[in-house]
Amino acid sequence: MVKKVDHIGVAVANLDEALKFYTEVLGLNLEGVEVVEDQKVKVAFLPVGDTEIELLESTDPEGPIAKYIEKKGAGIQHIAFRVDDIEKALDEMRRKGVRLIDEKPRYGAGGAKIAFLHPKSTYGVLVELSER
Ligand code: ZN
C-alpha cells in the first residue's frame, strides 16, 4: 500500500534561517515555498533523492506547528508515506483499527491529498498519508 517515504516534515521556528542550512550547508535545492492557509503554515520543499524534506514554519502563533514547537521544540514533526489511493488507504487503516486524525483526506501543499494518523496508533510517530 505504501509506495515510498514521500517526505519528512520538519518544524522550524524560522524558515529563512533553516533554509540556509539545507541549501548552503547541505547543498539541497529549494523546489518551492507555499503557504497552506488551512494548516497555518509556510512550507518549503527540498528534494533529496527519491524523497523530500518539508520545512514547516507557522504563520500563526495558534497554528499546529507553533503549538508543536512550543511543546516539543523544533525538529522532525511527521513522516509522510506516499499511497496511490488515499481513500482506500484510510478505509484499510480504519479496518485495521488505526486511530485517525483525519477521517477524510484534505488538501496539503502541492495539491496533494493528505490525511494524518494518530501517533497513539503509530508508536509515537505522526504519520501522514499522501496521494499526489
Ligand atoms: Zn507533510
Side-chain angles (χ1 to χ4, degrees):
M1 185 187 66
V2 166
K3 299 296 164 196
K4 64 175 211 166
V5 174
D6 188 80
H7 63 267
I8 296 169
V10 179
V12 300
N14 183 314
L15 188 59
D16 292 332
E17 285 286 312
L19 274 173
K20 278 186 204 157
F21 170 73
Y22 284 92
T23 58
E24 291 169 22
V25 180
L26 295 184
L28 300 179
N29 287 317
L30 174 60
E31 195 180 60
V33 176
E34 187 185 333
V35 172
V36 183
E37 297 290 352
D38 187 44
Q39 286 162 69
K40 301 183 167 75
V41 283
K42 190 155 84 174
V43 185
F45 281 103
L46 302 114
V48 189
D50 197 29
T51 188
E52 291 184 355
I53 300 293
E54 178 188 76
L55 300 178
L56 303 146
E57 181 197 77
S58 189
T59 57
D60 185 320
E62 295 301 307
I65 291 300
K67 292 237 162 95
Y68 180 87
I69 290 177
E70 204 180 287
K71 230 169 102 181
K72 298 191 172 166
I76 293 180
Q77 199 254 349
H78 65 270
I79 295 180
F81 293 113
R82 173 85 57 94
V83 296
D84 282 337
D85 184 335
I86 196 161
E87 321 270 351
K88 225 166 102 185
L90 281 177
D91 278 346
E92 195 174 332
M93 292 295 117
R94 231 176 255 121
R95 210 173 53 241
K96 288 176 175 172
V98 175
R99 200 164 139 194
L100 307 177
I101 291 177
D102 298 306
E103 290 293 331
K104 283 180 192 308
R106 51 197 166 104
Y107 283 94
K113 281 161 91 178
I114 64 167
F116 286 97
L117 310 182
H118 199 286
K120 285 243 157 70
S121 285
T122 60
Y123 301 88
V125 177
L126 178 59
V127 170
E128 174 186 331
L129 300 177
S130 171
E131 176 192 328
R132 58 169 168 164

